Amino acid sequence: MPQAQRDIEVTLRESIGIAMASGSSETSHGPHFFQNAQSFSIGRQSNISQQTDYFIHNHAPGHMGLLDMLDPIPDASYSRNRQTSPPDSDCLPGTRRDMLKRVSAWADASVLLPNPHVMWLYGYVGCGKSAIAQTVAEKYARKGRLAGSFFFFRTSRDRSRTARFVATLASQIAASIPSTAPLIETALKRHVGLLHSTTSLSSQLEHLVYGPIKSVRWESLGRNLLRGPYIIVIDGLDECEDRDDIALFIDHMLDFFSRNPHIPLRFFIASRVEEHIRTRLNDREVRLVNLVDHTSVDDIATAMHASFALAARHNRIIQAYGPWPSPADLSQLVHHTGCSFAFMSTLLKFILGPSPDNLTPMQRLPLALDINLGLDGLYLDTLSRAGQLPHFSSIITLIALAENPFSIAELGKLLRIERTEVVRVLIELHAILQVPGDDYGPVTMFHTSLHDFLTHPGRSGPFYIDPSQSQDLARRCKKVLSARSSNLSHDSAAPASPLEEGGLNHLIWRIHV
């Protein structure tokens, strides 16, 4: 058996073990456990290991088991090795308490009460969406109520597409709700080619996820209903390249819940605000939560305090120094973050991370407090990661020279490039820029020191931006406006957006001139 297959078998067994540890009544479904199952046999139903073996290996020699048929992605769930399969984030102890309480209140509400089946957590890049998704998945796995989880990631081939998305979820559902396993296997045998690329995502979802869950005799599992519905956690929908499939997934999901309002299943979704996602999840049947509105200074302070305490446990130099940092220095660092977890991470990396100048964390702290000089090395490192991307220079120049910040949509219009090209660059800069959760919020710098850095040739080196370029930018933008007006005059039927009706001219004069 390949190593990846062995790894996921261990994960499946562990997920069953977690459910057992939380109470045998939560995993033993009595005489109705295998209701509707066909053409299979198993030993004593009380042996959870044998139940797991059912969907891992069919008992017939040489027969392909359910796990083999589904061939799930081994590193897509919450239990992946986050260091090798990012995002590598979760909530530090004591942080995000209000947000996590809000999620729990929604997830734990009775299915018999009016409550949306879907919660959508959205916000700008780097604001902590994946950390919360990871924490929510871990919590409900411990409770035995995590039906499945999937963490999309842009640079991971399998996790940036939908080709194996449904099969991966189905394998996890079979593990967490064992009575669905024979139903999933029956669907695979009955519908030949169900996992083929030519089969629609809707058909896969219906036969491998929603159908098996719906067919479970929930009315005979009263204790399961009392303990709350199952949760599926999906992170990074905006990271998936198959935008049409993601739109189809959302439409199908909402339609399923509209037809089955009392099904004990809920989806927790975290993502940026892409149009193909926003236009569908902005629905009265979805609980909308803007993470930016739920990030407090106390969260930042708690996270910083925990990070310094962790560093002290593993760093002999800090231990020898004694209590550090002082309350006043910690308060100033919290103020510098602008209530952003992403920039907090940037500051902590500078203070506590490896240093090419051989300075101790205590020596780097004053530099971070004097932020105009302290972060030059980190700014250089971050900009270098994006420096080779198409349009990088034009995008960072516009951001640096704008008197009032531009949105992603406006940057695309001014530079005459697709918004996806703008986002591609900005995502690599989220440690130093606040990238909004949608295409219309302003792209801003976390701290004015970045502007000072970029416009100082002795500090920024190859990334220096001459402030006099604003004149050239204004002229280039006027050419875009002229070309746009000419195109519109030749196509009177074309609808004019606000930008096309003179808004672009307004954007030009928002550049420092």
Side-chain angles (χ1 to χ4, degrees), residues 14 24 26 49-50 115 141 161 166 176 189 191 222 229-231 290 306 356 361 363 368 370 372 376 424 443 456:
E14 287 178 347
S24 59
E26 295 181 352
S49 176
Q50 290 178 354
N115 193 39
R161 308 303 298 263
V166 178
S176 57
K189 292 177 178 178
H191 303 279
Y230 282 90
I231 307 295
N290 185 348
Q363 291 171 318
D370 183 11
N372 286 310
D376 283 13
R424 184 183 177 191
V443 178
H456 192 291

Side-chain angles (χ1 to χ4, degrees), residues 25 27-37 40 42 44-46 51 179 216-217 220-223:
S25 64
T27 54
S28 177
H29 296 177
H32 300 281
F33 188 91
F34 295 107
Q35 188 76 31
N36 298 327
F40 78 100
I42 195 167
R44 292 180 301 169
Q45 295 181 15
S46 60
Q51 294 170 0
S179 50
V216 172
R217 294 298 183 91
S220 67
L221 304 176
R223 284 173 292 187

Side-chain angles (χ1 to χ4, degrees), residues 119-419:
M119 175 177 279
W120 179 32
L121 180 71
Y122 61 94
Y124 56 75
V125 174
C127 68
K129 301 182 298 296
S130 293
I132 291 175
Q134 178 71 28
T135 302
V136 169
E138 291 174 357
K139 175 179 179 177
Y140 285 94
R142 290 192 299 269
K143 286 176 171 282
R145 288 172 48 200
L146 183 70
S149 61
F150 197 100
F151 286 72
F152 285 100
F153 197 70
R154 194 180 306 272
T155 59
S156 172
R157 185 185 64 179
D158 287 332
R159 291 193 291 136
S160 66
R161 308 303 298 263
T162 58
R164 298 167 67 190
F165 168 54
V166 178
T168 301
L169 279 185
S171 70
Q172 297 175 36
I173 291 168
S176 57
I177 314 175
S179 50
T180 63
L183 304 174
I184 293 171
E185 180 166 350
T186 297
L188 288 170
K189 292 177 178 178
R190 182 174 296 166
H191 303 279
V192 178
L194 187 57
L195 296 179
H196 195 272
S197 59
T198 57
T199 302
S200 72
L201 193 73
S202 292
S203 183
Q204 291 181 356
L205 286 165
E206 192 63 38
H207 291 299
L208 298 178
V209 175
Y210 299 128
I213 289 177
K214 183 181 177 182
S215 296
V216 172
R217 294 298 183 91
W218 296 108
E219 67 276 9
S220 67
L221 304 176
R223 284 173 292 187
N224 283 51
L225 293 176
L226 289 175
R227 70 185 182 132
Y230 282 90
I231 307 295
I232 292 179
V233 174
I234 308 293
D235 179 65
L237 279 187
D238 56 296
E239 298 274 318
C240 182
E241 298 176 20
D242 300 321
R243 297 164 68 92
D244 290 342
D245 275 350
I246 291 300
L248 189 64
F249 159 69
I250 296 172
D251 289 342
H252 194 155
M253 173 184 65
L254 294 178
D255 178 65
F256 172 78
F257 286 131
S258 70
R259 291 182 285 108
N260 302 275
H262 299 301
I263 199 79
L265 177 68
R266 292 195 173 130
F267 275 82
F268 178 84
I269 295 173
S271 78
R272 287 183 69 249
V273 187
E274 297 281 2
E275 280 301 283
H276 66 294
I277 299 172
R278 181 192 66 80
T279 55
R280 288 167 170 83
L281 285 178
N282 189 13
D283 186 278
R284 63 185 180 88
E285 298 301 327
V286 177
R287 181 73 54 82
L288 304 178
V289 181
N290 185 348
L291 184 53
V292 178
D293 295 337
H294 297 276
T295 300
S296 69
V297 172
D298 288 342
D299 277 335
I300 299 291
T302 300
M304 272 205 167
H305 186 274
S307 297
F308 281 117
L310 180 64
R313 287 201 298 270
H314 299 285
N315 188 310
R316 292 288 300 277
I317 295 176
I318 297 177
Q319 292 170 15
Y321 188 84
W324 175 83
S326 70
D329 287 347
L330 185 63
S331 177
Q332 188 174 347
L333 282 174
V334 170
H335 174 73
H336 277 335
T337 67
C339 213
S340 164
F341 272 88
F343 199 52
M344 179 199 74
S345 176
T346 301
L347 286 171
L348 291 175
K349 180 180 178 181
F350 171 73
I351 297 168
L352 301 172
S355 172
D357 52 18
N358 294 318
L359 296 177
T360 68
M362 284 68 67
Q363 291 171 318
R364 288 196 294 272
L365 177 60
L367 296 176
L369 295 176
D370 183 11
I371 200 166
N372 286 310
L373 296 176
L375 293 181
D376 283 13
L378 205 54
Y379 284 152
L380 280 170
D381 179 63
T382 303
L383 292 165
S384 297
R385 296 175 192 173
Q388 303 304 314
L389 292 174
H391 314 296
F392 163 79
S393 180
S394 298
I395 291 170
I396 195 65
T397 299
L398 270 176
I399 292 172
L401 298 183
E403 182 174 1
N404 297 303
F406 294 117
S407 69
I408 291 171
E410 290 169 341
L411 289 168
K413 288 286 186 180
L414 286 170
L415 298 174
R416 305 189 73 178
I417 60 177
E418 295 292 331
R419 295 177 191 176

